[in-house]
Tab-separated table of all heavy atoms in Angstrom:
chain	number	residue	atom	x	y	z
A	495	THR	N	-29.227	-2.191	25.499
A	495	THR	CA	-28.478	-3.447	25.369
A	495	THR	C	-27.146	-3.366	26.097
A	495	THR	O	-26.711	-4.318	26.753
A	495	THR	CB	-28.264	-3.770	23.878
A	495	THR	OG1	-29.531	-3.886	23.235
A	495	THR	CG2	-27.472	-5.061	23.699
A	504	LEU	N	-21.455	6.053	28.257
A	504	LEU	CA	-20.620	4.999	27.667
A	504	LEU	C	-19.213	5.511	27.403
A	504	LEU	O	-18.219	4.832	27.729
A	504	LEU	CB	-21.259	4.497	26.365
A	504	LEU	CG	-20.408	3.518	25.542
A	504	LEU	CD1	-20.139	2.232	26.324
A	504	LEU	CD2	-21.069	3.217	24.211
A	570	GLY	N	-16.857	-2.145	-5.916
A	570	GLY	CA	-16.627	-3.580	-5.872
A	570	GLY	C	-15.156	-3.929	-5.898
A	570	GLY	O	-14.745	-4.989	-5.413
A	729	GLY	N	21.078	-12.657	-16.441
A	729	GLY	CA	21.382	-13.425	-15.240
A	729	GLY	C	21.418	-12.611	-13.964
A	729	GLY	O	22.081	-13.001	-12.992
A	748	GLY	N	1.564	9.568	-6.731
A	748	GLY	CA	1.057	8.260	-6.342
A	748	GLY	C	-0.402	8.322	-5.922
A	748	GLY	O	-0.994	9.403	-5.863
A	787	THR	N	4.419	-17.398	5.925
A	787	THR	CA	5.363	-17.487	7.052
A	787	THR	C	6.510	-16.491	6.896
A	787	THR	O	7.283	-16.298	7.833
A	787	THR	CB	5.943	-18.904	7.164
A	787	THR	OG1	6.438	-19.311	5.887
A	787	THR	CG2	4.887	-19.886	7.639
A	824	LEU	N	0.963	-3.727	-26.531
A	824	LEU	CA	2.090	-3.130	-25.824
A	824	LEU	C	3.237	-2.819	-26.786
A	824	LEU	O	3.909	-1.790	-26.645
A	824	LEU	CB	2.574	-4.057	-24.702
A	824	LEU	CG	1.638	-4.221	-23.498
A	824	LEU	CD1	2.286	-5.103	-22.447
A	824	LEU	CD2	1.261	-2.880	-22.893
A	852	THR	N	23.620	7.679	-26.942
A	852	THR	CA	23.949	6.847	-28.107
A	852	THR	C	22.903	5.762	-28.335
A	852	THR	O	22.718	5.281	-29.452
A	852	THR	CB	25.328	6.189	-27.924
A	852	THR	OG1	25.328	5.449	-26.695
A	852	THR	CG2	26.419	7.249	-27.888
A	855	PHE	N	15.499	4.720	-25.341
A	855	PHE	CA	14.137	4.222	-25.584
A	855	PHE	C	13.166	5.395	-25.726
A	855	PHE	O	12.608	5.624	-26.790
A	855	PHE	CB	13.695	3.284	-24.465
A	855	PHE	CG	12.212	3.010	-24.463
A	855	PHE	CD1	11.610	2.387	-25.547
A	855	PHE	CD2	11.407	3.387	-23.395
A	855	PHE	CE1	10.236	2.155	-25.574
A	855	PHE	CE2	10.030	3.149	-23.409
A	855	PHE	CZ	9.443	2.529	-24.498
A	920	THR	N	11.775	14.089	-41.663
A	920	THR	CA	10.794	13.096	-42.079
A	920	THR	C	11.434	11.823	-42.631
A	920	THR	O	10.760	10.819	-42.800
A	920	THR	CB	9.862	13.673	-43.156
A	920	THR	OG1	10.653	14.190	-44.234
A	920	THR	CG2	9.012	14.792	-42.574
A	945	ALA	N	-7.124	-12.516	-25.020
A	945	ALA	CA	-8.533	-12.858	-25.184
A	945	ALA	C	-9.505	-11.713	-24.938
A	945	ALA	O	-10.685	-11.842	-25.265
A	945	ALA	CB	-8.883	-14.024	-24.235
A	1016	LEU	N	-4.395	19.544	4.910
A	1016	LEU	CA	-4.494	18.213	5.507
A	1016	LEU	C	-3.473	18.045	6.632
A	1016	LEU	O	-3.787	17.499	7.698
A	1016	LEU	CB	-4.312	17.130	4.442
A	1016	LEU	CG	-4.365	15.674	4.935
A	1016	LEU	CD1	-5.684	15.376	5.651
A	1016	LEU	CD2	-4.147	14.703	3.778
A	1059	ARG	N	21.693	5.585	21.785
A	1059	ARG	CA	20.377	5.104	22.225
A	1059	ARG	C	19.761	4.249	21.111
A	1059	ARG	O	19.372	4.767	20.064
A	1059	ARG	CB	19.459	6.275	22.582
A	1059	ARG	CG	19.895	7.006	23.854
A	1059	ARG	CD	18.844	8.003	24.316
A	1059	ARG	NE	19.213	8.577	25.614
A	1059	ARG	CZ	18.874	8.051	26.793
A	1059	ARG	NH1	18.142	6.951	26.825
A	1059	ARG	NH2	19.257	8.628	27.916
A	1068	ALA	N	2.004	-6.096	20.263
A	1068	ALA	CA	2.101	-5.129	19.169
A	1068	ALA	C	1.975	-5.791	17.804
A	1068	ALA	O	2.224	-6.986	17.635
A	1068	ALA	CB	3.431	-4.391	19.251
A	1069	HIS	N	1.598	-4.980	16.802
A	1069	HIS	CA	1.602	-5.429	15.414
A	1069	HIS	C	2.988	-5.950	15.050
A	1069	HIS	O	4.002	-5.401	15.480
A	1069	HIS	CB	1.265	-4.271	14.466
A	1069	HIS	CG	-0.155	-3.830	14.562
A	1069	HIS	ND1	-0.580	-2.930	15.496
A	1069	HIS	CD2	-1.255	-4.158	13.829
A	1069	HIS	CE1	-1.887	-2.727	15.334
A	1069	HIS	NE2	-2.314	-3.448	14.336
A	1074	ALA	N	9.645	-5.322	13.279
A	1074	ALA	CA	10.364	-5.322	12.001
A	1074	ALA	C	10.847	-3.918	11.658
A	1074	ALA	O	11.981	-3.725	11.205
A	1074	ALA	CB	9.466	-5.873	10.893
A	1162	ARG	N	0.815	12.069	25.832
A	1162	ARG	CA	2.221	12.453	25.902
A	1162	ARG	C	3.125	11.547	25.081
A	1162	ARG	O	4.248	11.237	25.467
A	1162	ARG	CB	2.693	12.536	27.360
A	1162	ARG	CG	1.968	13.651	28.105
A	1162	ARG	CD	2.276	13.688	29.584
A	1162	ARG	NE	1.426	14.673	30.252
A	1162	ARG	CZ	1.239	14.734	31.566
A	1162	ARG	NH1	1.840	13.866	32.348
A	1162	ARG	NH2	0.457	15.652	32.092
A	1176	ILE	N	-9.542	6.472	3.371
A	1176	ILE	CA	-9.002	5.985	2.100
A	1176	ILE	C	-9.359	4.504	1.964
A	1176	ILE	O	-9.199	3.747	2.916
A	1176	ILE	CB	-7.471	6.192	2.047
A	1176	ILE	CG1	-7.149	7.678	1.870
A	1176	ILE	CG2	-6.841	5.395	0.917
A	1176	ILE	CD1	-5.676	7.997	1.923
A	1222	SER	N	1.767	9.357	-1.664
A	1222	SER	CA	0.615	9.075	-2.531
A	1222	SER	C	-0.371	10.232	-2.450
A	1222	SER	O	-1.472	10.123	-1.895
A	1222	SER	CB	-0.041	7.760	-2.113
A	1222	SER	OG	0.834	6.677	-2.352
A	1274	ALA	N	-15.432	-1.981	25.873
A	1274	ALA	CA	-14.481	-2.103	24.766
A	1274	ALA	C	-14.205	-0.712	24.212
A	1274	ALA	O	-14.991	0.217	24.430
A	1274	ALA	CB	-15.055	-2.996	23.677
A	1288	ASN	N	-15.499	-28.944	21.021
A	1288	ASN	CA	-16.476	-29.437	20.042
A	1288	ASN	C	-15.819	-29.746	18.702
A	1288	ASN	O	-16.513	-30.018	17.715
A	1288	ASN	CB	-17.575	-28.395	19.815
A	1288	ASN	CG	-18.374	-28.091	21.061
A	1288	ASN	OD1	-17.820	-27.676	22.067
A	1288	ASN	ND2	-19.688	-28.299	21.009
A	1289	GLY	N	-14.496	-29.633	18.654
A	1289	GLY	CA	-13.780	-29.883	17.406
A	1289	GLY	C	-13.786	-28.705	16.458
A	1289	GLY	O	-13.440	-28.849	15.278
A	1342	ALA	N	-24.905	-21.561	17.890
A	1342	ALA	CA	-25.807	-22.704	18.017
A	1342	ALA	C	-25.287	-23.895	17.210
A	1342	ALA	O	-25.397	-25.054	17.648
A	1342	ALA	CB	-27.208	-22.314	17.558
A	1376	SER	N	-29.124	-30.225	5.912
A	1376	SER	CA	-29.820	-29.907	4.668
A	1376	SER	C	-29.054	-28.889	3.829
A	1376	SER	O	-28.236	-28.131	4.339
A	1376	SER	CB	-31.210	-29.346	4.985
A	1376	SER	OG	-31.094	-28.046	5.570
Side-chain angles (χ1 to χ4, degrees):
T495 301
L504 173 63
T787 51
L824 290 183
T852 56
F855 166 62
T920 54
L1016 179 57
R1059 290 190 174 271
H1069 290 85
R1162 295 174 187 164
I1176 287 175
S1222 294
N1288 298 58
S1376 70

